[in-house]
Structure formats: C-alpha cells, structure tokens
C-alpha cells in the first residue's frame, strides 16, 4: 500500500467562526453531563485538592451537606467543556474568564446542563483575520437551579474568502 495523499482529503471545519457570533445569539449546549463520585475523587486527587469537603462524606455531612461537595473547579471545567462544541471547537486562543460565580453546591449524581449568550463580539485591532468574542455561560443542575455562571473570552477566526478571490 502506498503513502496516503493527504491533499486529496477534504478539510471539514467544525465549530463556529467570528461571523457566527452576533451579540445576543444564544446557544443551548448539548445533552449535559452527570458528575459521579469517581469523577470528583479523581479530579480532586489529580489536582492535589485535599479539602475534606470534596473527599470525605462524613466531614461534608458534619457541615450540613448530604454527601461530598463536588470540587467547584471540576464543575467549572465540566461546564466549559459542555460549551466547546458550540463556542470554541474551531480553535483560537482562550483569552480568559471573568466574574465566575458558584451559586450552589453540586453533589455526585447531579446532572449539569449549560447555555451561553454572546455578550460582545468585536474585531481584533491587531489581527485582521480574527475577532474577540465574549460569552456569558450559565449551568444548571437537573432541578433547574443555577450552579455556576461566568464570562469567557476567546480569539475567534473570521471566515476567509475562498482561494482565488
């Protein structure tokens, strides 16, 4: 078998580009994610977060929780992950987050869903083929209760004219 001709494979672009993000556009992100006790223990251990609230059910119960509290950074990472397909799958540098607020605890077995709204989209002053987009994202548990919200900003590529134009 010969070497593959990579130039013959069509390029399939996934995700959205700058022009797809007018201010006010809303995205209901895909099906959500149930956080398990295993997810929480693995994430907390891997990140060296030894807070007993996240790893010791009896400690958490002694502080009025029904179970361990899921590590809030796992909650945040999960919610960002839920939004990637709609907001940043095409790539582009992550520029930061602001106003991250955790509204209520998440417990093992909770299912998170997320939605985002474009709050600002502007052209980059220094990179003519890109724009800067900021989204406000909210995540809710299976009871419809807000658990976290934040603003995230990315550099997003613009559509380029076809070659030869």
């Amino acid at each position: 078998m010969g070497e593959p001709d990579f130039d013959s494979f069509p390029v399939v672009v996934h995700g959205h580009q700058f022009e797809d993000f007018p201010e006010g556009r809303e995205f209901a992100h895909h099906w959500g994610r149930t956080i398990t006790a295993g997810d929480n223990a693995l994430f907390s251990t891997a990140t060296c977060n030894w807070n007993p609230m996240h790893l010791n059910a009896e400690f958490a119960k002694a502080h009025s929780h029904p179970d361990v509290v899921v590590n809030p950074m796992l909650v945040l990472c999960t919610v960002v992950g839920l939004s990637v397909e709609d907001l940043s799958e095409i790539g582009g540098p992550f520029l930061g987050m602001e106003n991250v607020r955790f509204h209520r605890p998440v417990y093992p077995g909770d299912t998170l869903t997320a939605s985002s709204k474009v709050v600002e989209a502007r052209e980059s002053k220094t990179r003519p083929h890109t724009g800067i987009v900021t989204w406000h994202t909210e995540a809710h548990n299976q009871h419809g209760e807000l658990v976290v919200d934040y603003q995230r900003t990315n550099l997003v590529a613009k559509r380029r004219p076809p070659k030869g134009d």
Side-chain angles (χ1 to χ4, degrees), residues 34-43 54-55 67-68 70 74 107-109:
T34 300
I35 307 290
T36 68
D39 296 329
N40 183 56
L42 181 61
F43 184 89
H54 308 308
L55 297 168
D67 198 346
V68 295
V70 172
L74 172 58
Y107 299 105

Side-chain angles (χ1 to χ4, degrees), residues 89-121:
E89 184 173 40
I90 202 163
F94 172 69
L95 300 177
M97 288 186 156
E98 295 180 336
N99 303 318
V100 177
R101 292 172 297 202
F102 297 96
H103 297 273
R104 63 182 354 98
V106 171
Y107 299 105
D110 282 349
T111 298
L112 305 180
T113 56
S115 61
S116 298
K117 183 176 183 176
V118 179
V119 294
E120 182 181 24

Side-chain angles (χ1 to χ4, degrees), residues 24 30 32 34 40 44 53 60 70 72 99 105 111 121 123 130 135 141 149 157:
H30 64 76
T34 300
N40 183 56
S44 294
M53 193 68 74
V70 172
N99 303 318
T111 298
E123 298 198 18
T130 62
W135 303 274
N141 64 19
D149 75 315

Side-chain angles (χ1 to χ4, degrees), residues 50-72:
W50 309 118
N51 184 334
M53 193 68 74
H54 308 308
L55 297 168
N56 182 324
E58 295 309 313
F59 181 89
K61 288 174 185 175
H63 291 85
S64 303
H65 293 281
D67 198 346
V68 295
V69 175
V70 172
N71 185 321

Side-chain angles (χ1 to χ4, degrees), residues 84-156:
V84 164
E85 183 178 359
D86 292 321
L87 306 184
S88 58
E89 184 173 40
I90 202 163
F94 172 69
L95 300 177
M97 288 186 156
E98 295 180 336
N99 303 318
V100 177
R101 292 172 297 202
F102 297 96
H103 297 273
R104 63 182 354 98
V106 171
Y107 299 105
D110 282 349
T111 298
L112 305 180
T113 56
S115 61
S116 298
K117 183 176 183 176
V118 179
V119 294
E120 182 181 24
R122 62 182 174 86
E123 298 198 18
S124 170
K125 292 178 180 149
T126 58
R127 297 174 187 227
H129 296 294
T130 62
I132 299 168
V133 181
T134 300
W135 303 274
H136 176 250
T137 299
E138 293 184 344
H140 296 83
N141 64 19
Q142 69 275 16
H143 306 295
E145 299 166 324
L146 182 63
V147 296
V148 66
D149 75 315
Y150 58 86
Q151 287 192 349
R152 173 166 75 111
T153 303
N154 278 62
L155 197 63
V156 179

Side-chain angles (χ1 to χ4, degrees), residues 5-14:
D5 177 12
F6 292 110
D7 291 332
S8 68
F9 288 91
V11 175
V12 178
V13 177
H14 293 274

